Amino acid sequence: MINYRVLKKLVAAALVGGFVITAQAGPEEDRQAFVDSYKWKFPNVPMEEYVNGVYAIDKVGRENWEAIEEFPPYEIFIDEGLTMWEKPFANGKSYKDCFPEGPGIAHKYPHWDKQQGMVMTLPLALNQCLEANGEKPLKYKKGPINNILSYIAFESRGQVTNLEIPQDDPRAMEAYEEGKKFYFTRRGQLNFSCATCHLQNTGMQVRTEILSPSVGHTTHWPVYRSKWGTVGTLHRRFSGCNNNIRAKALEAQGEQYRNLEYFLTSLSNGLELNGPGARK
Amino acid sequence: MTKHKKSLASAAGTLALLTSALLVIPTLSAAEGTGNIDKGKAIAFGRTQGNCVTCHMMDDGESPGNLGPPLIAMKARYPDKAKLRAQIWDPTAANPESAMVPFGIYKVLTEQEIDYLVDYIWSL
């Protein structure tokens, strides 16, 4: 189902609203090309607004969202997360021992883990902490992982996304390129790539939904989604997106989604973290 | 005279037959066409089928999207009905960057469903 003809064309010379991404471009050039494309479409939206996702460009939706944010639906999850953070494991240790820099650490993820040779995300690091201490790992899409993630996100508010791809391990750039390739690859029976909706057609409507820009996509997770009736992870959203286009959802925290998160997060470099978020 | 009358009557009869035939045949085919158009509309609006309203303003579709162009004046835009069918079958053939679903090549709809759909879309 993957349309390689289109992929080749897009990755080699993606036309981004008149701006061109070349295959040789580095992450910063990629980010700038995305930003230029959105600025061309939405000249009056200031950069710092992009952390608000679709509400940066959807006036009507924004009013409803601001009303929701008056009494944030994710608050109880933050409280539950604080309890998890404080509660000792069976061996007497706690999350604090794994993350001595404190709970405000979301801006440090994802990052390249040279030792393990993989993109390390925050949910993965949390589970490695649990397993190292003889605890059962948490599920990656639904449930309590969202509590601890909500607390960490809240404590990380105001930190700035600054994903740096290390130069001393070529596998890091490969992971970025894999994520970028995923983003531009059409998939599923409906033949959409991430770029189809979130780059080429940002601001357009499917039914009443306005398609959001990818710059800012990663700043506010986990998200309380009214459709879910609870808080869910970024990778749960990836799966939902893949299901919508009738593609097989991939494994949450599997290599492909982690690499996608690596690429996507790089697009938000310079933007403040503002999680947890609320969406309809 | 009688003979003449007879031939007149028979001519009138033939004319009546011809007229009714002319009237009946188009009526029949129009009825069949409307049936296909109705079937096509159901496919176009079905959320698990064409789901066209998600991206196109069309007919009486409620809350349409605007990712694709409004579907109006389709006979003027596609004088050749086969080209409209080809566009629905595989939009990436004409434009590799098209965001439209390739309903035929990816088997989202069957050949028969696409025929009905084309009848309907072409009527808009």
Side-chain angles (χ1 to χ4, degrees):
Chain A
M1 290 289 176
I2 294 171
N3 194 331
Y4 283 104
R5 184 166 45 111
V6 176
L7 168 72
K8 232 174 150 183
K9 215 174 164 170
L10 274 170
V11 174
L15 261 179
V16 180
F19 298 87
V20 171
I21 297 177
T22 65
Q24 289 75 37
E28 179 51 25
E29 286 77 13
D30 290 346
R31 190 191 68 82
Q32 197 57 54
F34 272 72
V35 167
D36 288 347
S37 156
Y38 298 137
K39 284 205 161 168
W40 177 72
K41 272 189 184 168
F42 317 109
N44 300 321
V45 174
M47 257 341 277
E48 63 269 21
E49 265 300 318
Y50 280 83
V51 300
N52 297 322
V54 75
Y55 305 124
I57 58 170
D58 173 6
K59 275 189 184 144
V60 177
R62 188 182 183 101
E63 281 178 27
N64 295 326
W65 171 66
E66 282 174 352
I68 289 170
E69 284 282 354
E70 301 250 340
F71 301 96
Y74 46 76
E75 246 172 13
I76 51 166
F77 299 90
I78 297 172
D79 295 343
E80 292 284 328
L82 168 63
T83 308
M84 285 169 81
W85 179 263
E86 299 286 344
K87 193 181 167 191
F89 303 139
N91 66 2
K93 292 191 173 179
S94 74
Y95 284 113
K96 291 180 198 175
D97 295 288
C98 299
F99 306 99
E101 291 173 55
I105 50 169
H107 60 297
K108 296 183 183 296
Y109 296 88
H111 63 246
W112 181 252
D113 185 317
K114 194 177 177 182
Q115 208 185 341
Q116 298 186 60
M118 64 197 284
V119 170
M120 181 55 59
T121 63
L122 180 55
L124 202 59
L126 289 167
N127 267 353
Q128 289 195 348
C129 171
L130 288 172
E131 285 181 304
N133 287 287
E135 299 283 322
K136 217 180 134 200
L138 303 169
K139 287 184 178 172
Y140 284 124
K141 292 201 279 191
K142 304 176 182 179
I145 198 160
N146 290 289
N147 300 344
I148 187 81
L149 286 172
S150 293
Y151 173 63
I152 291 173
F154 185 71
E155 291 293 321
S156 307
R157 280 189 177 184
Q159 299 282 4
V160 176
T161 304
N162 183 27
L163 189 143
E164 282 183 50
I165 295 163
Q167 301 299 311
D168 64 344
D169 186 347
R171 294 175 300 173
M173 187 56 81
E174 280 165 25
Y176 173 88
E177 290 294 343
E178 282 300 312
K180 179 176 165 183
K181 193 164 110 183
F182 186 102
Y183 185 92
F184 284 102
T185 303
R186 286 181 178 237
R187 63 190 72 240
Q189 195 184 25
L190 303 187
N191 200 36
F192 288 103
S193 69
C194 307
T196 308
C197 288
H198 298 290
L199 183 60
Q200 291 171 308
N201 289 290
T202 311
M204 304 301 274
Q205 278 175 244
V206 289
R207 300 274 178 181
T208 56
E209 299 300 314
I210 293 180
L211 298 167
S212 59
S214 280
V215 168
H217 263 165
T218 57
T219 64
H220 45 267
W221 293 89
V223 163
Y224 183 97
R225 210 162 169 240
S226 305
K227 191 184 164 187
W228 292 336
T230 187
V231 175
T233 62
L234 177 61
H235 289 211
R236 180 177 177 189
R237 190 68 189 91
F238 287 165
S239 324
C241 243
N242 278 169
N243 286 331
N244 285 344
I245 59 166
R246 300 189 192 166
K248 193 174 182 293
L250 301 170
E251 190 196 347
Q253 295 303 327
E255 189 176 20
Q256 283 166 295
Y257 280 174
R258 277 186 290 107
N259 290 345
L260 176 62
E261 182 179 341
Y262 200 48
F263 170 72
L264 263 188
T265 306
S266 173
L267 293 180
S268 289
N269 268 354
L271 293 180
E272 272 192 17
L273 297 185
N274 58 336
R279 293 291 182 272
K280 65 177 177 186
Chain B
M1 196 64 180
T2 321
K3 210 176 177 183
H4 187 60
K5 262 187 180 170
K6 263 186 183 168
S7 68
L8 250 182
S10 101
T14 312
L15 193 67
L17 266 173
L18 271 172
T19 313
S20 64
L22 281 170
L23 284 173
V24 163
I25 292 164
T27 312
L28 272 176
S29 70
E32 200 188 313
T34 311
N36 286 356
I37 286 172
D38 287 346
K39 283 177 195 162
K41 183 173 180 177
I43 292 160
F45 280 56
R47 287 200 180 229
T48 57
Q49 294 178 291
N51 202 13
C52 309
V53 186
T54 293
C55 295
H56 298 279
M57 193 180 87
M58 60 193 290
D59 208 345
D60 56 352
E62 282 179 28
S63 304
N66 62 5
L67 208 147
L71 301 183
I72 47 169
M74 295 311 286
K75 284 194 184 80
R77 288 168 58 195
Y78 288 91
D80 181 359
K81 199 176 177 182
K83 281 199 174 159
L84 175 61
R85 193 181 195 279
Q87 175 62 18
I88 294 170
W89 186 263
D90 178 16
T92 62
N95 171 18
E97 289 179 44
S98 172
M100 188 167 151
V101 174
F103 289 95
I105 55 165
Y106 280 12
K107 296 182 167 42
V108 178
L109 299 173
T110 65
E111 293 258 5
Q112 178 70 80
E113 285 170 332
I114 288 176
D115 286 338
Y116 292 143
L117 184 63
V118 170
D119 283 343
Y120 167 62
I121 301 289
W122 211 50
S123 77
L124 297 175

